[in-house]
Amino acid sequence: MGQQDGGSAHVTFRKVQKTYDGEHLIVRDLNLDIQRGEFLTLLGPSGSGKTTCLMMLAGFETPTAGEICLGDRVINKLPPHKRNIGMVFQNYALFPHMTVAENLRFPLAVRKLPAAEIDAKVKNALAMVRLEKFAGRYPQQLSGGQQQRIALARALVFGPELVLMDEPLGALDKQLREHMQLEIKHIHENLGITIVFVTHDQGEALTMSDRIAVFNHGVIQQIDSAEALYERPVNSFVASFIGENNALNGTVESLADGCCQVRLDCGARIEAVARNVSGVGARTMVSVRPERAFLADGEGGGNRFSAGVKEIIYLGDHVRVRLDLVGGHDFTVKMPISQLDRQLRSGDQVVVAMAAEHACALDPVVDAH
Amino acid sequence: MSEPIAETAAVPLKRLLQRAERMKKLRYGALIAPLAVFLLLTFLWPIAALLLKSVDNPEVAAALPQTVHQLSGWPGKELPHEGAYAALVSDLSLGKGSKTLAEAAKRLNMEEPGLRSLLMNTARKLPLASDAGPRESLVAMDERWGELCTWQLIARNASQKTDYYLLAALDLTRDASGEISRGEQGDSVFTEIFGRTIWMSFVVTVYCLLLGFPLAYLLASLSKRSSNLLMVFVLLPFWTSILVRVAAWIVLLQQGGLINHVLIALGITDEPLQLVFNRVGVYVAMVHILLPFMVLPLYSVMKGISPTYMRAAMSLGCPPFKSFWKVYFPMTVPGIAAGGLLVFILSMGYYITPALLGSPKEQMVSYFVAFYTNETTNWGMAAALSALLLAATLLLYVVYNRLVGSATNGAPQR
């Protein structure tokens, strides 16, 4: 996928494995190159191995096999305090017995910098997160968002080139979280540092990242830009994990020029892009994004199915129509309010259509996991 | 819309709230009332009564009411007038053979040895045989009746309250003129005992902390299963009687005991060490008994400290040991404070362990409280020592709280 050139890689994972009990691999054969200055997000459900990867990079866990390189240097045996990697923790881990300023001074004092330099850096870091006035406060006197920003400032104040973030926004409410996402993104752009960000919130991942690595069962399923992940998922896990997804199971009937005909289990036929099918006769899952399907009237090209309206859900900026596709598939169509036919009621019969290029034929979902 | 409601309903609303709250308060009050009454009757009242005993001085006033009355305006510079002697004769004749007089004699004898016999003998020889005045007759009977200090002593004890016991517990006394001074022999029995009590408690607390801190840390960092198992061992001593534990220590530590055997077998020492009936034995047993009181508060504080703090410190470039010292340790200070205070205060009142495992040089204040109540029935001294022990403990608590409190103020636990 283009990241294998290795020359400018900031961090490299080579065949890394990790097991805690000697029986189950939490991380299986991880190969990953993180570019200098990149914002990479590790995304996955809990237990998928993403946090373990981060902890191995930070030095709090040792890989069972394989090696991790920082630049050209293998850091498997380097203790965490010698790695010079900034880290932001889930619950901030601000030291409660120190003031904000003392928290920020801590990494600088440990490095035995001259006092004047320390003061200047602390001031700069506080200015960066716009909390200059709070230097004398204790962490518990700050709000969650403020603590978050101090934790960020502390991870950056000693000038690390690599900063790790372990679900740092998980404890914030939605509005603050979205605000912080942009703030972190801007800090990343301004400082040009490499950030590895762990989250299970795909919205967060899509907002902030240059690339996203989707983890499942200790393996990276796909590592790509947000757009590629959403539009061109390589397998059914990624398709269903990122964004909403209508999954239609069926069997490949014919395959030509990257397109395939799939006979769905309900009997209908659908034309789709063959992205991950093993051949004619194989089981497959066709993925259609809800906003790529639409309700059509009359005849026309592309895939068309008749369906019964089960439910119409009004969501302010858009409306969601739940359908019963012929043969019993659940199917959701998402459309702008302006396109909604006001006469539509549940129980009505409609035709749902989608272009072949927006239907992806992927690996079958059942046997895969 | 809410304004009129607030205006018209403010008063009744407040009253309604009060009524509702009052019912709740009454219900809570009723729940704790039995305990409150129990504590009042069995704890607070006896303590208060005992503390009052330390200044209580009814004996002389009860036995010599007329004398006391006559002496009430006496300046105390020269011998009292004839009336006082007459009153004394009258008091003594009335009280002859009574318990009141005996107690007054005992009380005066505490301050001036020999006064008991003076009083009792004088009473026995009454009524006066000669026609001479009471003063002349009494002085003739015993020349001490002609000495100023005897009368000063009676006058000093005329009041219902005295500071004699409290002063005595601090090795102080009032001389004939009523000034506070060091005891005549210049001895410092009780100050030494108080100093020893505080020092021994301090040493026990330090040892408990040194032994308990790593243990609590281990407990807090182990898995729940193993830490529960280990906790049983920590609490095991609580399940046996303190006497059994002390006896066990005597068996282990004595000259022919297990520990000396092992030390000799290992060639560490040639002859048995004196490990018991001295301070070593007292320290060993007290630390053993008090260790759980240190471990439990420490453990509960450490359990609440997330391991992320240490990780955060290390990720910021701090080596592990320094991280522990700079980040983890300060967060345990509330636990150290609580555990230390608990152990220290409990040690201050220790009695049985030093009494059984120590030599006379290891006896603490409580031993002398027991001595005065059980052996000499001197309630005044026992109460004065208790009151001073309580005061010392409270004083130390205040100082300690100021020191440790200021250190932990900045770090309230989340």
Side-chain angles (χ1 to χ4, degrees):
Chain A
M1 258 154 256
Q3 74 273 18
Q4 298 293 344
D5 52 60
S8 67
H10 193 171
V11 177
T12 317
F13 284 79
R14 290 259 171 275
K15 296 183 174 155
V16 171
Q17 294 188 333
K18 176 71 186 176
T19 171
Y20 288 106
D21 54 5
E23 286 172 23
H24 305 97
L25 285 172
I26 298 295
V27 173
R28 295 191 284 185
D29 193 31
L30 178 76
N31 291 290
L32 176 62
D33 289 280
I34 302 169
Q35 307 303 313
R36 202 165 280 279
E38 184 176 31
F39 195 125
L40 178 80
T41 297
L42 312 183
L43 177 68
S46 52
S48 59
K50 56 190 193 310
T51 299
T52 306
C53 280
L54 198 74
M55 289 302 164
M56 287 195 285
L57 183 50
F60 299 125
E61 301 288 356
T62 339
T64 313
E67 60 185 31
I68 301 172
C69 304
L70 194 62
D72 305 328
R73 191 163 168 213
V74 178
I75 56 166
N76 282 27
K77 295 218 165 64
L78 197 66
H81 64 274
K82 290 188 180 156
R83 294 193 179 193
N84 207 36
I85 297 176
M87 183 142 186
V88 182
F89 293 86
Q90 199 163 7
N91 293 312
Y92 323 132
L94 294 174
F95 306 138
H97 57 292
M98 299 184 191
T99 62
V100 164
E102 285 164 352
N103 264 283
L104 294 186
R105 296 178 71 91
F106 185 82
L108 304 171
V110 165
R111 287 171 173 76
K112 298 198 170 62
L113 298 185
E117 200 180 333
I118 292 182
D119 289 339
K121 285 194 170 188
V122 168
K123 224 176 134 197
N124 279 342
L126 281 173
M128 180 181 70
V129 293
R130 300 191 307 281
L131 286 173
E132 296 97 322
K133 286 185 210 139
F134 295 88
R137 299 266 193 104
Y138 284 94
Q140 56 275 15
Q141 295 171 316
L142 304 180
S143 72
Q146 290 166 339
Q147 292 188 27
Q148 218 312 304
R149 270 142 70 189
I150 295 301
L152 192 62
R154 190 179 65 175
L156 295 169
V157 70
F158 59 97
E161 292 182 329
L162 174 61
V163 175
L164 312 182
M165 302 193 184
D166 181 14
E167 309 209 13
L169 307 178
L172 302 180
D173 61 57
K174 187 169 176 288
Q175 214 168 355
L176 202 53
R177 192 158 62 220
E178 283 164 4
H179 175 79
M180 284 306 299
Q181 285 168 6
L182 291 179
E183 196 155 343
I184 292 175
K185 195 177 154 103
H186 294 153
I187 286 173
H188 170 248
E189 282 160 8
N190 293 339
L191 298 181
I193 49 175
T194 309
I195 293 185
V196 181
F197 192 98
V198 163
T199 183
H200 61 263
D201 179 341
Q202 44 163 307
E204 206 162 280
L206 297 179
T207 308
M208 307 171 79
S209 324
D210 295 328
R211 283 194 305 161
I212 300 167
V214 181
F215 274 72
N216 194 33
H217 294 286
V219 177
I220 295 182
Q221 306 287 325
Q222 184 172 1
I223 174 162
D224 237 320
S225 69
E227 192 204 339
L229 280 181
Y230 192 79
E231 302 290 346
R232 299 182 292 280
V234 297
N235 60 31
S236 53
F237 174 80
V238 176
S240 35
F241 191 73
I242 307 279
E244 278 183 275
N245 180 50
N246 287 305
L248 304 169
N249 293 317
T251 314
V252 180
E253 277 198 330
S254 69
L255 187 60
D257 295 338
C259 286
C260 61
Q261 290 279 334
V262 176
R263 177 177 287 279
L264 298 180
D265 295 348
C266 60
R269 252 193 211 100
I270 186 168
E271 196 173 335
V273 180
R275 208 168 290 289
N276 189 358
V277 290
S278 41
V280 174
R283 294 286 296 160
T284 183
M285 185 201 91
V286 180
S287 152
V288 181
R289 298 289 182 196
E291 70 277 7
R292 293 296 188 183
F294 50 94
L295 301 185
D297 22 52
E299 290 295 311
N303 299 309
R304 289 172 163 271
F305 308 97
S306 59
V309 177
K310 281 211 291 199
E311 209 172 352
I312 303 170
I313 304 158
Y314 177 81
L315 286 157
D317 58 334
H318 68 272
V319 69
R320 199 176 286 260
V321 183
R322 286 188 57 214
L323 303 168
D324 216 351
L325 224 57
V326 276
H329 282 290
D330 266 345
F331 198 93
T332 303
V333 174
K334 187 173 155 188
M335 61 171 85
I337 295 292
S338 54
Q339 290 176 17
L340 178 70
D341 177 4
R342 294 284 168 180
Q343 304 302 317
L344 199 64
R345 293 287 176 271
S346 57
D348 291 354
Q349 283 296 313
V350 292
V351 172
V352 59
M354 71 223 66
E357 62 194 280
H358 291 136
C360 293
L362 301 167
D363 52 326
V365 74
V366 196
D367 344 325
H369 310 294
Chain B
M1 243 181 78
S2 67
E3 265 176 48
I5 293 175
E7 262 170 40
T8 57
V11 178
L13 204 59
K14 221 173 238 175
R15 205 172 295 157
L16 276 175
L17 176 72
Q18 267 174 4
R19 199 173 304 153
E21 293 289 299
R22 197 181 307 135
M23 275 315 291
K24 207 191 272 178
K25 276 181 194 157
L26 278 176
R27 207 171 309 141
Y28 290 150
L31 282 175
I32 59 158
L35 178 64
V37 170
F38 176 78
L39 284 181
L40 189 72
L41 290 180
T42 61
F43 190 68
L44 290 178
W45 182 68
I47 286 182
L50 189 69
L51 291 184
L52 281 179
K53 277 250 187 270
S54 65
V55 292
D56 209 14
N57 194 35
E59 294 93 345
V60 176
L64 309 172
Q66 297 171 62
T67 318
V68 165
H69 181 71
Q70 288 292 331
L71 285 175
S72 63
W74 181 55
K77 302 281 186 228
E78 51 192 30
L79 283 176
H81 51 81
E82 198 72 29
Y85 282 91
L88 180 67
V89 169
S90 159
D91 278 338
L92 288 179
S93 346
L94 281 175
K96 196 186 331 188
S98 77
K99 203 179 164 200
T100 342
L101 185 62
E103 273 169 6
K106 181 182 163 197
R107 172 69 188 83
L108 290 174
N109 199 59
M110 275 179 206
E111 295 197 41
E112 185 63 47
L115 270 191
R116 184 207 300 267
S117 53
L118 172 64
L119 227 60
M120 298 314 273
N121 287 341
T122 311
R124 199 179 319 121
K125 285 176 195 156
L126 289 177
L128 293 173
S130 72
D131 300 332
R135 178 174 184 163
E136 210 175 315
S137 318
L138 283 180
V139 175
M141 207 181 283
D142 194 311
E143 61 188 16
R144 276 179 290 180
W145 287 120
E147 282 170 13
L148 189 58
C149 62
T150 313
W151 289 95
Q152 278 173 335
L153 184 61
I154 294 175
R156 212 159 53 226
N157 285 302
S159 155
Q160 293 279 348
K161 299 283 168 235
T162 180
D163 54 7
Y164 165 75
Y165 298 116
L166 287 171
L167 289 174
L170 289 168
D171 301 324
L172 298 173
T173 177
R174 280 191 190 274
D175 59 17
S177 56
E179 292 296 309
I180 295 174
S181 64
R182 307 286 304 163
E184 304 106 56
Q185 305 94 333
D187 55 1
S188 52
V189 188
F190 291 116
T191 36
E192 197 188 305
I193 291 163
F194 272 109
R196 176 197 296 161
T197 306
I198 291 170
W199 171 249
M200 284 176 69
S201 305
F202 175 75
V203 171
V204 167
T205 309
V206 168
Y207 279 128
C208 278
L209 180 62
L210 290 180
L211 294 174
F213 193 92
L215 176 60
Y217 183 68
L218 180 70
L219 280 169
S221 39
L222 281 178
S223 72
K224 192 153 182 64
R225 233 179 100 93
S226 2
S227 77
N228 278 349
L229 185 70
L230 212 58
M231 188 57 92
V232 171
F233 287 107
V234 172
L235 296 177
L236 205 58
F238 276 140
W239 301 351
T240 36
S241 139
I242 201 165
L243 280 173
V244 172
R245 276 180 277 166
V246 167
W249 277 117
I250 294 177
V251 172
L252 283 176
L253 294 172
Q254 66 193 341
Q255 294 266 320
L258 191 64
I259 289 176
N260 268 321
H261 271 303
V262 170
L263 287 180
I264 291 166
L266 290 175
I268 293 169
T269 170
D270 293 333
E271 51 195 58
L273 297 172
Q274 180 66 40
L275 294 173
V276 76
F277 310 121
N278 61 7
R279 205 158 281 199
V280 178
V282 177
Y283 281 155
V284 167
M286 280 180 73
V287 168
H288 171 236
I289 292 165
L290 291 170
L291 199 54
F293 294 98
M294 180 63 91
V295 171
L296 292 178
L298 271 176
Y299 169 72
S300 73
V301 167
M302 286 176 174
K303 199 72 190 160
I305 301 175
S306 156
T308 324
Y309 289 117
M310 282 284 281
R311 290 187 162 187
M314 284 192 271
S315 82
L316 293 170
C318 197
F321 186 76
K322 198 174 172 191
S323 299
F324 182 87
W325 181 245
K326 288 271 186 181
V327 172
Y328 191 89
F329 181 77
M331 289 194 234
T332 63
V333 167
I336 295 175
L341 191 66
L342 203 56
V343 170
F344 187 83
I345 287 180
L346 286 172
S347 309
M348 290 277 279
Y350 253 56
Y351 164 55
I352 293 181
T353 311
L356 294 180
L357 285 173
S359 73
K361 276 188 281 176
E362 274 72 50
Q363 302 315 319
M364 313 219 280
V365 175
S366 309
Y367 174 85
F368 292 91
V369 173
F371 171 78
Y372 279 117
T373 44
N374 295 338
E375 314 230 335
T376 64
T377 353
N378 186 342
W379 284 98
M381 272 317 280
L385 285 172
S386 309
L388 285 175
L389 185 62
L390 183 63
T393 311
L394 286 178
L395 184 73
L396 285 167
Y397 173 71
V398 169
V399 171
Y400 182 85
N401 207 27
R402 179 117 351 137
L403 290 177
V404 180
S406 66
T408 52
N409 261 351
Q413 288 298 299
R414 278 197 223 156

